[in-house]
């Protein structure tokens, strides 16, 4: 809605739309990175722990049938670190402790493969430890020799923490830099939209409405459809306002003649004698009648062409409407010496608006009466075919030449010959506009005599 401050700006929406996925990606990378860091730290530390285990295992020998060993200082030196982790070891032959910490968690020798180190976590002296253990088979010794070495996890945790902090700092710097760089990048990307807005706002500064196409310079492919749609809207507005201007000009021109006659005849009536006054009053009455008809038809054309959302279509009985129109125009037909007939026994029903169909038929029959000869006929025939419903109005008048049929539907165009009754030139224009609103078509068909107008309604 215009002026709704709750709607965020487009720049903010785009920034959120871009930074949001970045943050989500950062979280995913953090989780994956934490898993990888933990695995790398474990593997690296286990390799050092396994190296110390191998150095100790190499010193285990058999002398005079007894198992001996010489603990190398280098094996324990390998495990020294800044966090000063505690180191524990245990060497046992069968179930008998040879050296080391007797309460260190001992494995079942049967579960160990010979000369293949195994690593596991354990709890020892209220501390979490990592144990590396291996089973060795010595010559002339039938009991298994199990060598174990363990260390606490402070160094592993510290290394893991340092790597995680480095990863988080890197992600924060990356997301922050991206957010800072995205804002000017968005400003550059939205510059064509700003140009388009400026081109629209510039129209407000002009004295008269400007419906020419927008001049916003080259636009991205995403904005071109919007600019083209706006240009089409401007063209429609230009056409609509042009139609209003033409309509107003034509209407004022057409009204000027009967109004001038009225002024002249009123002046003559004021100065004239009895006979001249009566003749002037007759002229005034005729001019008023023409003006009344012109205004009525102008209003009918305005109703037929009014914009906006049409009311829902309703089922309209064409025979009932035709009977009502003929009844209304019967006195006019009698005065003109024209016979009105309604042919066919069908009662076709079409989707439409009764008022508009009444207006269409009234104008067609009125034209048939007005431009007919005395003793002529105006017939209305209704017919339903497979694809449409037809309403045919035929008269015995002079007809419309084939070359002038398109012009006959234009406003204020009169095609009558000299001496024919004067009209406003709006009847067929009203018929065409009203039919267009009903999705119907109007055609002038060939006839041996007179005019045949066919209104074709789509099937229900």
């Amino acid at each position: 809605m215009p002026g709704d401050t709750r709607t965020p700006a487009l720049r903010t929406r785009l920034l959120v739309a871009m930074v949001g996925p970045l943050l989500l990606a950062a979280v995913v990378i953090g989780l994956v990175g934490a898993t990888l860091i933990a695995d790398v730290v474990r593997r690296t530390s286990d390799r050092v722990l396994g190296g110390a285990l191998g150095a100790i295992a190499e010193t285990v020998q058999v002398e005079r049938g007894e198992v001996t060993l010489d603990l190398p200082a280098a094996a324990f030196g390998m495990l020294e670190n800044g966090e000063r982790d505690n180191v524990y070891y245990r060497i046992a032959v069968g179930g008998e402790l040879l050296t080391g910490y007797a309460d260190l968690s001992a494995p079942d020798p049967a579960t160990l493969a010979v000369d293949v180190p195994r690593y596991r976590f354990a709890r020892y002296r209220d501390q979490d430890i990592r144990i590396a253990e291996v089973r060795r088979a010595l010559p002339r010794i039938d009991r298994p020799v199990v060598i174990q070495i363990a260390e606490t996890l402070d160094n592993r945790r510290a290394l893991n923490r340092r790597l995680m902090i480095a990863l988080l700092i890197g992600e924060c710097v990356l997301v922050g830099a991206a957010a800072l760089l995205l804002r000017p990048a968005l400003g550059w990307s939205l510059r064509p939209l700003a140009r388009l807005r400026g081109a629209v706002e510039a129209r407000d500064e002009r004295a008269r409405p400007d419906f020419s196409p927008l001049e916003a310079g080259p636009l991205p492919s995403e904005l071109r459809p919007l600019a083209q749609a706006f240009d089409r809207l401007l063209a429609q507005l230009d056409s609509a306002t042009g139609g209003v201007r033409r309509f107003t000009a034509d209407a004022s021109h057409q009204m000027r003649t009967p109004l001038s006659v009225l002024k002249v005849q009123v002046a003559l009536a004021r100065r004239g004698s009895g006979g001249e006054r009566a003749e002037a009053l007759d002229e005034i009455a005729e001019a008023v009648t023409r003006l009344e008809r012109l205004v009525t038809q102008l209003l009918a054309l305005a109703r037929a062409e009014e914009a906006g959302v049409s009311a829902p279509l309703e089922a309209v009985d064409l025979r009932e409407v035709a009977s009502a129109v003929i009844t209304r125009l019967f006195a006019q037909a009698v005065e003109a010496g024209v016979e009105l007939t309604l042919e066919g026994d069908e009662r076709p029903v079409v989707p439409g608006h009764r008022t508009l169909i009444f207006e269409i038929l009234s104008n067609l029959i009125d034209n048939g009466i007005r431009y007919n000869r005395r003793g002529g006929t105006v017939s209305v025939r209704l017919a339903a075919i497979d694809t449409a419903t037809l309403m045919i109005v035929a008269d015995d008048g002079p007809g419309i030449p084939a070359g002038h049929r398109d012009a006959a539907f234009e406003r204020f165009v009169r095609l009558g010959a000299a001496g024919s009754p004067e009209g406003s030139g709006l009847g067929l224009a009203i018929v065409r506009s009203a039919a267009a609103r009903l999705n119907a078509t109007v055609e002038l068909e060939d006839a041996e005599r007179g005019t045949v107008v066919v209104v074709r309604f789509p099937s229900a």
Side-chain angles (χ1 to χ4, degrees), residues 9-320:
L10 181 59
R11 187 192 302 269
T12 303
R13 292 165 65 93
L14 290 174
L15 190 62
V16 171
M18 293 181 178
V19 174
L22 279 178
L23 292 175
L24 180 60
V27 172
V28 173
I29 291 173
L31 295 175
V32 174
T35 303
L36 292 176
I37 286 173
D39 184 67
V40 169
V41 170
R42 179 183 59 78
R43 289 176 179 273
T44 302
S45 300
D46 282 353
R47 189 174 294 112
V48 176
L49 190 62
L53 177 67
I56 295 174
E58 289 295 330
T59 65
V60 177
Q61 304 291 335
V62 178
E63 294 182 3
R64 300 191 182 99
E66 296 292 333
V67 179
T68 63
L69 77 149
D70 182 12
L71 290 175
F76 296 98
M78 294 169 62
L79 300 177
E80 290 183 358
N81 52 65
E83 279 68 30
R84 298 184 178 277
D85 279 322
N86 294 328
V87 179
Y88 308 100
Y89 66 95
R90 181 177 183 276
I91 298 96
V93 180
E96 180 182 351
L97 178 67
L98 183 61
T99 183
Y101 295 82
D103 56 349
L104 188 63
S105 175
D108 182 1
T111 62
L112 294 174
V114 177
D115 294 330
V116 178
R118 185 179 70 180
Y119 302 89
R120 61 187 175 92
F121 291 101
R123 187 79 178 167
Y124 180 65
R125 296 186 179 180
D126 296 329
Q127 292 178 305
D128 293 323
I129 61 172
R130 181 71 166 171
I131 301 175
E133 50 197 11
V134 67
R135 173 185 171 186
R136 293 203 62 190
L138 300 177
R140 300 185 300 279
I141 300 296
D142 56 355
R143 293 176 299 169
V145 178
V146 178
I147 301 101
Q148 295 176 280
I149 187 168
E151 66 175 350
T152 53
L153 305 180
D154 293 342
N155 183 64
R156 295 176 184 239
R157 290 170 178 165
L159 178 59
N160 189 83
R161 186 166 52 252
R162 287 195 296 270
L163 292 176
M164 281 299 302
I165 291 174
L167 176 62
L168 292 176
I169 291 175
E171 288 186 336
C172 291
V173 170
L174 179 62
V175 173
L180 291 176
L181 294 175
L182 277 175
R183 196 163 188 85
L186 287 175
W188 174 80
S189 300
L190 295 176
R191 197 172 299 164
L193 188 59
R195 289 202 310 269
L196 186 61
R197 182 189 64 188
V200 175
E201 291 177 346
R203 303 297 173 96
D204 295 339
E205 302 173 359
R206 303 181 184 179
R208 56 179 298 177
D210 183 4
F211 299 113
S212 61
L214 294 175
E215 297 179 1
L219 295 175
S221 58
E222 293 83 1
L223 288 180
R224 280 198 293 270
L226 174 62
Q228 292 167 358
F230 196 81
D231 287 342
R232 288 195 296 271
L233 177 61
L234 290 177
Q236 293 174 0
L237 289 174
D238 189 23
S239 176
T241 55
V244 170
R245 288 194 296 268
R246 290 192 301 273
F247 182 84
T248 304
D250 292 341
S252 62
H253 174 73
Q254 295 296 324
M255 288 181 177
R256 191 178 295 119
T257 299
L259 289 175
S260 299
V261 171
L262 280 175
K263 291 174 64 177
V264 171
Q265 297 301 327
V266 167
L268 291 176
R270 287 174 176 173
R271 296 198 305 265
S273 59
E276 293 175 345
R277 181 172 299 177
E279 184 179 351
L281 290 176
D282 290 340
E283 292 288 338
I284 290 173
E286 184 179 352
V288 169
T289 301
R290 291 201 305 269
L291 185 59
E292 179 186 15
R293 173 174 169 75
L294 176 62
V295 171
T296 300
Q297 288 201 307
L298 287 173
L299 292 175
L301 182 60
R303 285 197 303 269
E305 292 186 342
E306 67 180 354
V309 179
S310 300
L313 298 179
E314 58 184 1
V316 179
D317 185 339
L318 291 184
R319 189 173 185 84
E320 181 273 329

